Amino acid sequence: MSGARHITNPTRYASTGDFDRIFHEEKDSLYRLSFLLTADHEKAQQCFVSGLEDSVKGNAVFKEWARSWARRTIIQSAVRVINPRPTEEHDRVSFDNNRRTETIDQGEIGAVLELGPFERFTFVLLVLEHYSEHECSLLLSCSRRDVIAGQNRALQQLRSAMELRLDQQVSVGSEKLGSHDNYGSTLEDVPHV
């Protein structure tokens, strides 16, 4: 055995440089996650920075898990900042179609931002991030039943919001059709030269 060489493998753990690269390469995606959870640009920036710091200073993570760990640190930071709590059935959060969100597309993202904090977190974690109900309940410090109820409320509110937006688009489209018909009839009355 004295002739055997000691072989060292390159580190299998993510380094500070690995996390710096991930946060740089995926800044849009990571910031979007932070913004969807917080629904506030200032808090989203705070969670993004905190997520990077926690990734670098946290426990050693295998390189293969570094991307998912970066997302998880942002989620944990957002949970600390927002502290989303389950709502009681009688405290249902309703979709407020008069509230305007800050300079973003008012489509699906806008509808998600309109959700109450707990419903927004359950939707983002379960549907967009593909966490299990059990993982989500651990992150949010609540029961699986609360998580399921929050997701159901979120899906119901999102469905209502999308139906409302579709109705508004159809209504606007009908008005444009009507005004186009008037424009067309006016042109018919113009003599041809």
Side-chain angles (χ1 to χ4, degrees), residues 34-40 42-44 46-47 74-85 115-121 140:
S34 185
F35 183 60
L36 283 172
L37 292 171
T38 63
D40 178 274
E42 189 174 313
K43 290 177 182 173
Q46 176 186 347
C47 291
I74 286 178
I75 292 167
Q76 290 171 324
S77 178
V79 168
R80 285 190 305 268
V81 169
I82 302 298
N83 191 27
R85 305 302 327 142
L115 295 171
F118 187 76
E119 289 74 16
R120 191 173 58 248
F121 270 77
L140 298 177

Side-chain angles (χ1 to χ4, degrees), residues 60-88:
V61 177
F62 289 119
K63 282 186 180 186
E64 298 83 29
W65 298 351
R67 291 185 190 287
S68 61
W69 188 256
R71 297 184 80 74
R72 187 177 184 90
T73 61
I74 286 178
I75 292 167
Q76 290 171 324
S77 178
V79 168
R80 285 190 305 268
V81 169
I82 302 298
N83 191 27
R85 305 302 327 142
T87 56
E88 296 297 322

